Amino acid sequence: MPEQKLLVRKAAVLGAGVMGAQIAAHLVNCGVPAVLFELPAKDGSRNGMVDKAIANLSKLSPSPIGLKSVPAEITPANYDDHLELLRDCDLIIEAVAERMDIKLSLYSKIAPFVNESAVLASNTSGLSITKLSEALPDGLRGRFCGIHFFNPPRYMHLVELIPTVSTDPGVIDALESFVVTTLGKRVVRAKDTPNFIGNRIGVFSIASTMYHTEQFGLGFDEVDALTGTLIGRAKSATYRTSDVVGLDTMAHTIKTMDDTLPDDPWHKYFKAPVWLKALIDKGALGQKTKAGFFRKKGDVIEVLDLKTQDYRPNAGEASAEAEGALRQKGWAARLEALRTSEDNQAQFMWSCFRDLFHYCAVQLEHIAESARDIDFAIRWGYGWEQGPFEIWQQAGWMQVAGWIEADIKAGKTMSDTPLPAWVLARGDAGVHGANGSYSPKANALVPRSNLAVYQRQHFPDAIYTESFDQGTTIFETDSVRCWHQGDSVAILSFKSKMNTIGKGVLDGIHQAIAEAEKNYDALVIWQTGEPFSAGADLKDAMPALAAGRFDEFEQAVAYFQATSMRIKYALVPVVAAVRGMCLGGGCEFQMHAAKAVFALESYIGLVEAGVGLLPAGGGLKELALRSANTAIGGDVFQQIQTIFEVPAMAKVATSALEAKEMKLVRATDPVIANKDELLFVAKNEALALARSGYRPPMPAKAIRVAGDIGTATIRALLTNMLEGGFVSQHDVEVASRIATVLCGGDVERGSEVDEEWLLNLERKHFVTLAQMPLTQARVAHTMRTGKPLRN
């Protein structure tokens, strides 16, 4: 029997607070029309409150909107005047204040307007879903569940789904499929317990870190030096993350644990420390008030010193012994070194790991179906590279269990609750294996979900014990691997750092296309990890330039251009599958592909101007061609004028949708929300082209250009910007040459040129710029620091 589908023609979000408005924005990002409800305003427009929330979306950072037009696509509504709009909504997400009485009152108000097939879900972060369902009519309870987005909802991977005993299993399956594919999320199903999985474990980790901060007398900056990238967590670590979240929000989340978990063996630790309360009382709430655990004074980052109750320069760092322990190879060596060390910081870190493992082991059977759910919830909701059970198992399951037991007996742990019997019964097998992850309920390893939506993910995010078919290698070099998955589509993946493009990658592309033309129906360019490509590897070409071998340098540029053209005119469709950064030459390659498929979170740009160069892999040629093809009434300059700033200012699209507006992505290229489905979709697009009798486009021989008048007009604008102090003289030099290429060079307005003409212009001006000292200074500075130089 086929799985039940959730067909969402329109969705509603109840509550226009920060989360509700951002959820509505993400629905629209993903092509789902959304109605956003709020209370009617007492003064002015009845929709005043929701209008303000929608307008505020454009001011938030990071931006919740994939396109500037997104806020205008959200329909504003209020509960008194517009409940009839709910009848057309197939999904209703409630996101009002975290108070049971407010939610229950709203449910009784909206219930008569919910259509007979709509799904109603509460975006609560911890209230009982079962208690909320009791306010609903019997006919709606089977279509009700919890849906917990993590903040910010556009960017955070995790969504927790929380069914009640009354929730129809087919409904929750259909909702999960919708959330995964349409909204691009990674789903964990949680039990209906306070704070569910992610926040239950994540907030405990923060609370225990705060407790041990006091116990070991460490500074907030010292703790952040230890609990960030050094252990595979966010750079903002513990206390800077708290500042970003808001100290009032952090204290509220801890209080929720205090209020709702009276029987938790660790309950006494669910209290905001005195120093956290003191910061909140004086209005130091973190980033939003410019001060919290940290503050910025001029160019100096300062940290609160508890002893002096004043801020001091942020100078905390990991001790040599603690850092040395954490940099050892493998978690077994790291944890043993921390535990046996007499160093204060090392003992702090062991205590944090130990108590986290202890808590997860005791709570697993109460909050989750399997150990995998806890690890994924923490990885996807809190940005850890690995979850607590993964770390524990890699360190040696029984070894670590023995250490925890010894510390419990010695009174060193935060709770004297014994480890559950299953922990020791698992032996060295631990909780993760090739066949699944441990479930206390089943007392066995349970596999991943078998929902059809997950068959679209060839390489899903994996627990470290999991492995997926890596395909069959067709050929492999130091720079690329060409492979297949047992079908007629060849796949090419780069192996260079940041998937940059040097001669080895260029050679690999030519070889892969030749192989695909001979033995396969299509070729997909897909990277095994982000980014798609950070662009050309300048280190490859710089030695020839530095030595004055300009002919050799120009030949390298010509080979890059020839590779782009080989992609465009291959006799099989070449499809680019793009996620993450797609810059410079990487952007040019996708522009030449027969089709490209993009994850929504793709950041695309022709950025060469930032290092004093211009795009010379065919990118400007393609922009000129697209401008000519879309010119209204033959006026190419109007299109060129619109598109000129994109390469001249090295603009990078903040989403694949924005890249379409910038003409870096074709209007017909698919954008999908879930990057884990990218390879699946790209292969299907490639096969569809092949099976429809694909032929490459005919060479463009009559590209109408804006000519010398177009170039002169843009140069006049640049002169005004120079006189106004907005750009440097070298910025004008670079931008003028970009304009010259886009306008077709020194020809009359309306002239027709071919692709080779434009490629020659690109190459000529690229090589000229590369020889200029100011450009060379920019390139050297960027290669050394990773930052642009304005000169």
Side-chain angles (χ1 to χ4, degrees), residues 75-89:
T75 302
N78 68 75
Y79 301 121
D80 285 2
D81 303 329
H82 304 118
L83 288 182
E84 284 288 341
L85 294 176
L86 290 176
R87 298 191 191 279
D88 295 328
C89 295

Side-chain angles (χ1 to χ4, degrees), residues 393 396-399 401 421-431:
Q393 183 165 320
W397 186 262
M398 291 302 290
Q399 174 79 293
W422 66 260
V423 171
L424 301 179
R426 291 299 303 162
D428 285 328
V431 291

Side-chain angles (χ1 to χ4, degrees), residues 641-675:
Q641 194 172 26
T642 302
I643 216 168
F644 163 73
E645 286 188 357
V646 173
M649 298 179 66
K651 288 185 175 181
V652 176
T654 58
S655 73
L657 298 176
E658 186 178 34
K660 287 193 174 190
E661 286 192 338
M662 294 163 64
K663 299 295 190 293
L664 297 174
V665 171
R666 288 164 295 212
T668 54
D669 284 336
V671 175
I672 65 172
N674 196 318
K675 64 181 181 180

Side-chain angles (χ1 to χ4, degrees), residues 74 77 101 109 198 390 408 496 540 591 623 665:
I74 300 172
D101 58 333
K109 189 170 186 176
E390 287 182 288
I408 292 172
S496 51
D540 250 23
M591 292 175 77
L623 287 180
V665 171

Side-chain angles (χ1 to χ4, degrees), residues 205 209 227-235 238 353 356 383-385:
S205 178
T209 300
T227 60
T229 55
L230 197 56
I231 58 172
R233 300 182 191 174
K235 185 179 180 180
T238 300
F353 278 119
L356 176 62
W384 295 14
E385 288 180 6

Side-chain angles (χ1 to χ4, degrees), residues 48-64:
M49 293 177 66
V50 71
D51 287 340
K52 183 178 179 181
I54 292 172
N56 191 53
L57 288 169
S58 301
K59 304 173 186 176
L60 297 177
S61 180
S63 176

Side-chain angles (χ1 to χ4, degrees), residues 532-545:
F532 179 75
S533 176
D537 186 354
L538 293 176
K539 293 194 296 291
D540 250 23
M542 292 309 288
L545 183 65

